[in-house]
Amino acid sequence: MRILKLNAISPVADEVFKGYEYSEAVQDPHGVMLRSFNMHDYPLGDSLLAVARAGAGVNNIPIEKCTEKGVVVFNTPGANANAVKELVLCELFLGGRKIVDGANWAQSLKGQADISKLVEKGKNKFVGQEVSGKKLGVIGLGAIGAMVANAAIHLGMQVAGYDPYISIKSAWLINRRVEFTSDLNEVLKTCDYITVHVPLTPDTKEMFNKKTLSSCKDGVVIINNSRGDLVVSADMVEAVKSGKVSRYITDFPDETLLGVENILCVPHLGASTPEAEDNCAYMAGKQLVDYLENGNITNSVNYPTVTLPKSSTARLCVHHKNIKEILSKIVSVISSQGVNIAHMADSSKGEYAYLIMDLDEVPSPASVELIAAIPGVLRTRLL
Ligand code: MLT
């Protein structure tokens, strides 16, 4: 099997792909491993079975095109959450205190006489506030948001969490002192600090714009380590210049944001720790291998989780549309060949579904072709 590497990936993945052809030069790959490489104009060849994103965000991958071709897209939710949480905590402090400006000013004193006197005289320009006692709004309570919310409670902050799609897993992990709200406007109006942890989707794109920024509490600090396009940069610059937003800290610099006082641009460092890079590479690699070898799907963003311990001679995997009677049509092709289905698992995610069938005999190529020809079947794979 061949895996194409589209970004530098932690060497931890080299171990996971032992026995595979795995490099930047692979042709006709069965799998792709990447971080932020933009795959939107990348041709999806017929050999391609899956794409694994070593990270959480998948806006650099053409999800719809992949789904229609039966290409499974994986991500690694939670694998870099601690790294991002630590950066957010650092940014909460940087949001209230003028550490960066003060440190830059201190550097400018080099070569001057009596530096300690100059420091004491000049430091009042860099006075800041403490986070303890302030209110933090966490928008998005997935793996990262949940960790940030809990850590902020321990910093003595009051925390409001907003997430209309919160999972049971996240809800269990969240400190009971975090107040849940279903009203985004409430977060905007009442919080001194806001940190955003949502994926970039058509619904979340530009969620911080002139209108929502004008609803914010005066002097709010906004932190964005999720994606740049969640914010309309020009509107943010205006809000910062007017003092509505006292500071904007983002992991996504752009031409409009750079050089503006009280906007701190970090060069996409949220997940850039060796620990997070190792965790993401391992998790993405393992998920990819389990899919390529066993057809199991875990943590896919476009297909449902379907896993089955392999128990029979043959396994037939079918990507199909989530439509009426399709399952009975697939099963009846197998049954009409006199082949027994030992185990079967099927699940759907929105309009798409995935089926694993463990069979007591290898089905004939003709029967697999018949299944592939059923309207709504997107891909078949015999393992
Ligand atoms: C993510 O979406 O998790 C990050 O962008 C990961 C990365 O820096 O590659």
Side-chain angles (χ1 to χ4, degrees):
M1 288 263 191
R2 299 178 296 274
I3 314 282
L4 174 67
K5 191 170 21 165
L6 288 177
N7 286 106
I9 303 282
S10 153
V12 161
D14 301 354
E15 269 302 300
V16 178
F17 295 130
K18 233 179 192 148
Y20 283 66
E21 210 183 305
Y22 170 55
S23 78
E24 293 87 349
V26 156
Q27 300 289 317
D28 302 322
H30 299 103
V32 162
M33 277 284 278
L34 81 169
R35 283 184 67 181
S36 298
F37 181 94
N38 181 356
M39 266 193 88
H40 283 280
D41 299 320
Y42 190 84
L44 304 178
D46 288 341
S47 60
L48 187 64
L49 299 168
V51 174
R53 163 74 159 108
V58 288
N59 55 304
N60 53 323
I61 302 167
I63 304 292
E64 252 174 64
K65 243 161 69 184
C66 286
T67 312
E68 274 297 323
K69 270 189 89 88
V71 173
V72 181
V73 179
F74 296 98
N75 71 347
T76 59
N80 58 24
N82 192 62
V84 183
K85 176 203 80 181
E86 289 187 7
L87 183 63
V88 175
L89 295 182
C90 166
E91 290 168 347
L92 283 173
F93 296 123
L94 294 178
R97 301 182 77 160
K98 299 185 176 168
I99 310 289
V100 174
D101 296 341
N104 286 340
W105 174 75
Q107 288 290 339
S108 75
L109 302 178
K110 190 169 168 62
Q112 300 200 38
D114 210 346
I115 290 178
S116 54
K117 203 167 157 195
L118 290 173
V119 163
E120 291 312 316
K121 199 165 161 231
K123 72 178 187 184
N124 61 353
K125 293 198 294 277
F126 305 105
V127 170
Q129 65 177 17
E130 298 179 22
V131 295
S132 180
K134 305 294 183 305
K135 184 165 178 183
L136 171 68
V138 182
I139 299 178
L141 293 165
I144 299 169
M147 285 176 105
V148 169
N150 289 350
I153 289 284
H154 294 294
L155 293 175
M157 299 186 88
Q158 189 191 341
V159 181
Y162 169 82
D163 189 339
Y165 309 104
I166 188 168
S167 69
I168 294 172
K169 195 171 155 200
S170 275
W172 271 108
L173 292 174
I174 291 173
N175 188 307
R176 63 191 163 80
R177 277 149 65 198
V178 173
E179 302 153 27
F180 291 93
T181 172
S182 55
D183 183 359
L184 179 61
N185 216 35
E186 164 89 8
V187 173
L188 302 179
K189 273 194 339 228
T190 63
C191 290
D192 307 294
Y193 293 75
I194 294 174
T195 179
V196 58
H197 300 285
V198 297
L200 178 65
T201 66
D203 288 342
T204 60
K205 192 170 187 228
E206 301 188 343
M207 66 186 290
F208 284 96
N209 51 45
K210 211 183 260 293
K211 185 163 176 266
T212 49
L213 288 168
S214 71
S215 304
C216 286
K217 187 170 174 180
D218 288 347
V220 64
V221 171
I222 298 180
I223 297 172
N224 172 17
N225 287 291
S226 293
R227 283 299 175 260
D229 285 345
L230 296 171
V231 173
V232 180
S233 293
D235 295 353
M236 181 60 85
V237 168
E238 205 180 300
V240 170
K241 284 189 172 163
S242 73
K244 180 74 184 169
V245 173
S246 67
R247 190 157 291 188
Y248 176 50
I249 306 181
T250 178
D251 220 12
F252 304 95
D254 69 29
E255 188 57 31
T256 310
L257 299 171
L258 288 167
V260 178
E261 197 182 351
N262 290 322
I263 294 185
L264 186 61
C265 291
V266 179
H268 197 192
L269 292 182
S272 291
T273 66
E275 296 87 344
E277 288 177 7
D278 289 355
N279 283 344
C280 288
Y282 184 77
M283 191 166 163
K286 281 285 192 191
Q287 289 169 178
L288 188 51
V289 165
D290 194 23
Y291 177 66
L292 295 177
E293 294 182 5
N294 306 313
N296 290 328
I297 298 182
T298 313
N299 287 328
S300 165
V301 295
N302 60 345
Y303 279 95
T305 292
V306 183
T307 64
L308 201 62
K310 228 170 170 181
S311 59
S312 298
T313 317
R315 169 166 285 195
L316 182 64
C317 303
V318 184
H319 294 73
H320 63 90
K321 290 255 175 85
N322 182 19
I323 48 178
K324 271 197 282 192
E325 291 172 17
I326 191 161
L327 215 47
S328 63
K329 286 180 191 160
I330 297 170
V331 168
S332 74
V333 172
I334 295 296
S335 308
S336 67
Q337 305 288 306
V339 174
N340 182 48
I341 301 171
H343 297 282
M344 184 165 121
D346 183 274
S347 188
S348 62
K349 191 172 186 122
E351 289 173 43
Y352 295 89
Y354 182 68
L355 165 70
I356 300 179
M357 276 191 292
D358 277 352
L359 309 171
D360 284 346
E361 289 163 58
V362 180
S364 67
S367 59
V368 177
E369 270 171 39
L370 276 175
I371 291 174
I374 295 171
V377 168
L378 304 166
R379 177 168 230 159
T380 56
R381 196 156 69 102
L382 188 60
L383 296 170

